[in-house]
Amino acid sequence: MSDEAANRETNNNKMQRANHPDSSRDPISCESVQVLLVEYLMNELEDEPRQRVEGHLDDGCPQCKQQWQHLKTGKGLLLRAIPERELSQELRDKILASAVAARVDCGVPVRTPQVTEVLASGRKPAGRRRLESALLGLAMLACGVMLAPFIAGPRQDGASKIDVASNPPPEEIRVQADAPFGETPRLERSSRRPIAFVAGSADAVYLSMRGEAIFDYAAMQVHFFGSDFPPPPPGKDYVLWLQYQPDGPTHPAQTLQLSGDGRCKAIVNLAENDCYRVFITLEGNGGMPTSPTGERPLLLLQAS
Amino acid sequence: MNCKLNNGQVAVDDNSIMQRIHDRNESGLSDLIAAYGNQVFGMCSLIAVDTSDAEAVTSDVFLEIWNRPTCFDAQRGSLGSFLLTLARSRSLDRLRARRNYQRNLQNYCDATACERLTWGSSPEAGLVETEDQMRIREAVNQLPEDQRNALQLAFFAGLTHREIAERLSIPLGTIKTYIRKGLLHLRNTLADEFELGGCR
C-alpha cells in the first residue's frame, strides 16, 4: 500500500500527459500506452487517446502487445468465472421466435429467414430458347420471402436484341401479396399494369420491390430492370447473379447501381443459351464476390 | 475449430455458427444459444436486479448478434468473450437506466467486499459453477482485497474508474493500478493451468 501511495502522483501525471490533447502530435511512448491500457480495456478512453493506443498496438510494439494480451486474458478469465445459469427452453424458443418474426436485415425490416421459391411452372424444354420476355417474380422477403412469379409476353421467334423501352412486355401477371409465407401467392392477370412484388403478408408488408428480366437468347443477353429498391445499407451493394442450371453454380453478374429514385438496370452477357434464373443479393461492397456470401436473395426472376 | 466448453462438452465450431448466422440460417442462432446461452444468462443474472431483467437482456444480446452479425470481429477476440462482454455491457446499461440505480449502487458499494456478487454455486438461484469457474473464483479470492474490490466494482457494478476512486476515496491512479495488477495476477496465476491462448 505504501508503494501505491508513493506512486500515486506519478501515475496520475503519466495519465494526464497521455491524455493531453497536445500530445496527440507526438508518437506515444510505451510507458504512456501501458498506463492507458486498462482504460482501453474497459472502453473508457476517448477517441483521441484510444486511436493513439490502437495505432501503437497496430505498429506492433511487442512489449505493449504482450501487456495488452495479458490484460485481455485476465479480463476473459474474470468474465469466465461467472457461474452459468440454465436458460429455460421457453426463453430459448422465445428468442428464436423473435429472431424469425422480426428480424432486421441490415436496416431493412424483414421477416422470417426462410426462403421459399415459388414459381414457375417448369422450365422450357432444353434447347435454344428465345424469350422476348420472361419474367417471374417473386417478392420475397421478409426474411422470408415471398415470391411471386409472373411471366410475360409471348415468345418471338428470331428475336434479336430487345429494346425494352419501346417494347414493354405485352402482358403481365400481377402478384397479389396476400398469401401467407411459404404458400404460393395468388396470381392475377392484369394487362399493362405495373408489376408489384410485395414481400409480406396480409397483415404486414415489409418491403416491396419490382423487377423484370428479359432473356434475349439471340443476343445471348439478359436485361434486368428494377424499381422501388430501397437504398442498400452502408457497406452493401445489390449484386445480380445468374444461375444457368437449377442445381448449378451461381455466377456473379453485376453490381446494381441505383438511381436516386430506386431504379436500376443491367444488361448482362449470357455464357449459355439457357438461363434458369437471375436473382439479387446484398453483398459487402469493395469487390465482386465469387459466390453469394450471406444475404438471402431479394428477388428471383426465373424464366419459365 | 471446435472448442471445449467449461463443462467439458465440445462446442460447435464458432466459425460455423457465425457463418450460418450470416446466412440467416436459424440453426446458427440455435447453436449459438446452446453453446453460450447459460454463460450469457449467468452474466446477466449477476448484474441485473431480477430474473425478468436478466431474461430480457439475454434475449437482447442474442437478437443483437442475429440482426447485426458483423458486429463480431473474430480478429479481435473469441465469440464467447464477445458475447460475455456484450452481455455485461447491456446489463449495465439496463441497470443504469433504473431510477433507483444510484441508491442500489450505494448499497452495493457499502457491502463489504461486494457481498452481492455470487462467487460460487447457488442452486436456489439457478447458478451452477463448473470446476474451471471454481478455480478462477479461488484465484480471484486470493487477490488482495483492494484489487478484488476494484475489479468487481469495475466489471460488475459498472462504475468507471473515476467513480470507483470517488466512492472508495482512493486516487484514480491507484484504482487503475489495482485493476491492472489484479488482471495480470489472475492471468499469471492461471496461465499454465488453463493453457491460455486457447480457443476461449
Side-chain angles (χ1 to χ4, degrees):
Chain A
M1 192 57 189
S2 58
D3 286 341
E4 314 288 5
N7 289 328
R8 272 176 207 162
E9 196 57 37
T10 306
N11 283 339
N12 284 332
N13 288 340
K14 285 176 189 171
M15 283 179 289
Q16 284 167 8
R17 282 201 305 274
N19 275 299
H20 195 281
D22 289 343
S23 63
S24 63
R25 299 187 185 92
D26 304 322
I28 190 168
S29 67
C30 291
E31 186 184 33
S32 298
V33 168
Q34 294 192 15
V35 168
L36 294 173
L37 278 178
V38 170
E39 291 164 283
Y40 180 56
L41 185 76
M42 303 297 288
N43 293 322
E44 286 190 18
L45 283 183
E46 293 178 358
D47 284 351
E48 186 270 330
R50 178 178 54 76
Q51 287 165 3
R52 298 180 71 204
V53 169
E54 288 175 346
H56 186 82
L57 294 174
D58 287 345
D59 287 343
C61 170
Q63 190 183 356
C64 293
K65 280 188 86 168
Q66 185 185 49
Q67 178 86 344
W68 167 237
Q69 286 298 334
H70 287 180
L71 287 171
K72 259 200 325 185
T73 303
K75 178 185 174 185
L77 284 165
L78 197 59
L79 296 180
R80 241 174 98 172
I82 305 302
E84 295 183 7
R85 186 173 182 187
E86 182 69 29
L87 195 60
S88 69
Q89 190 58 47
E90 184 185 356
L91 184 55
R92 291 167 193 257
D93 293 343
K94 198 170 161 185
I95 295 170
L96 285 170
S98 297
V100 169
R103 181 166 59 98
V104 175
D105 190 352
C106 299
V108 180
V110 288
R111 273 188 63 166
T112 190
Q114 207 168 352
V115 173
T116 307
E117 289 186 16
V118 174
L119 296 173
S121 33
R123 305 180 64 215
K124 289 269 184 191
R128 191 176 188 89
R129 294 187 307 179
R130 287 180 187 130
L131 295 177
E132 180 179 14
S133 65
L135 283 194
L136 267 173
L138 115 33
M140 120 172 224
L141 284 224
C143 244
V145 180
M146 169 168 209
L147 225 47
F150 70 47
I151 302 178
R155 298 176 55 180
Q156 280 191 355
D157 290 334
S160 59
K161 190 169 180 177
I162 298 168
D163 180 355
V164 179
S166 58
N167 296 282
E171 187 176 71
E172 300 162 352
I173 294 176
R174 167 174 282 193
V175 176
Q176 297 294 104
D178 59 356
F181 286 103
E183 293 185 14
T184 305
R186 179 160 56 85
L187 304 182
E188 179 185 22
R189 282 180 181 279
S190 65
S191 181
R192 302 267 182 194
R193 299 277 302 276
I195 305 164
F197 299 96
V198 181
S201 62
D203 59 341
V205 174
Y206 294 90
L207 177 67
S208 66
M209 309 163 64
R210 304 177 185 188
E212 66 185 56
I214 298 174
F215 297 89
D216 179 356
Y217 288 100
M220 294 290 283
Q221 287 181 330
V222 58
H223 298 234
F224 172 80
F225 299 86
S227 60
D228 295 346
F229 274 59
K236 300 276 186 179
D237 280 325
Y238 291 107
V239 175
L240 182 73
W241 302 80
L242 300 177
Q243 189 173 16
Y244 293 105
Q245 301 296 331
D247 299 318
T250 52
H251 304 275
Q254 197 166 313
T255 297
L256 297 175
Q257 300 300 323
L258 297 189
S259 61
D261 57 0
R263 288 183 301 166
C264 56
K265 103 179 155 178
I267 300 176
V268 179
N269 291 328
L270 294 168
E272 298 179 22
N273 62 4
D274 192 4
C275 186
Y276 175 61
R277 69 174 183 172
V278 300
F279 64 94
I280 297 164
T281 63
L282 272 173
E283 301 290 347
N285 58 23
M288 183 67 86
T290 54
S291 61
T293 54
E295 306 292 348
R296 287 182 174 281
L298 297 174
L299 180 67
L300 287 174
L301 301 168
Q302 183 170 313
S304 68
Chain B
M1 176 177 68
N2 288 338
C3 300
K4 197 170 183 182
L5 297 176
N6 289 340
N7 58 12
Q9 293 177 337
V10 175
V12 178
D13 179 8
D14 287 347
N15 292 333
S16 162
I17 289 176
M18 288 310 299
Q19 182 58 53
R20 280 178 287 146
I21 288 177
H22 274 282
D23 291 343
R24 302 297 185 266
N25 184 333
E26 291 166 52
S27 72
L29 181 60
S30 181
D31 283 349
L32 185 74
I33 296 171
Y36 297 104
N38 292 350
Q39 286 176 278
V40 168
F41 191 39
M43 170 65 80
C44 295
S45 299
L46 185 67
I47 298 173
V49 294
D50 55 36
T51 298
S52 171
D53 265 9
E55 289 181 343
V57 177
T58 300
S59 179
D60 288 348
V61 167
F62 286 108
L63 290 176
E64 183 167 341
I65 197 166
W66 168 255
N67 288 324
R68 291 195 309 119
T70 51
C71 62
F72 169 64
D73 179 359
Q75 303 299 318
R76 293 176 64 88
S78 72
L79 183 56
S81 290
F82 171 78
L83 285 169
L84 288 177
T85 301
L86 190 62
R88 170 184 168 272
S89 173
R90 295 293 173 266
S91 298
L92 291 173
D93 288 345
R94 198 174 183 93
L95 192 66
R96 290 191 188 103
R98 284 188 166 263
R99 294 176 63 187
N100 56 357
Y101 170 62
Q102 288 299 325
R103 191 184 63 205
N104 287 342
L105 190 60
Q106 189 59 52
N107 294 338
Y108 186 101
C109 294
D110 289 344
T112 305
C114 303
E115 291 168 351
R116 179 173 177 272
L117 291 178
T118 309
W119 291 97
S121 297
S122 177
E124 65 277 11
L127 297 172
V128 181
E129 191 178 45
T130 65
E131 282 185 20
D132 283 354
Q133 288 169 334
M134 197 182 302
R135 182 66 195 94
I136 297 171
R137 178 170 56 86
E138 286 172 3
V140 171
N141 286 336
Q142 286 167 6
L143 292 173
E145 186 178 345
D146 290 338
Q147 292 180 20
R148 189 171 66 244
N149 285 347
L151 284 177
Q152 291 176 337
L153 287 170
F155 279 87
F156 306 119
L159 270 64
T160 64
H161 295 167
R162 190 171 298 280
E163 288 170 334
I164 298 172
E166 288 171 1
R167 289 186 179 274
L168 300 184
S169 300
I170 294 175
L172 178 61
T174 306
I175 293 296
K176 295 175 193 297
T177 301
Y178 286 160
I179 293 174
R180 184 173 67 250
K181 285 188 173 179
L183 291 173
L184 295 177
H185 189 107
L186 206 54
R187 187 260 170 203
N188 293 337
T189 302
L190 300 169
D192 294 338
E193 202 171 330
F194 282 78
E195 299 175 2
L196 296 176
C199 59
R200 261 171 225 267

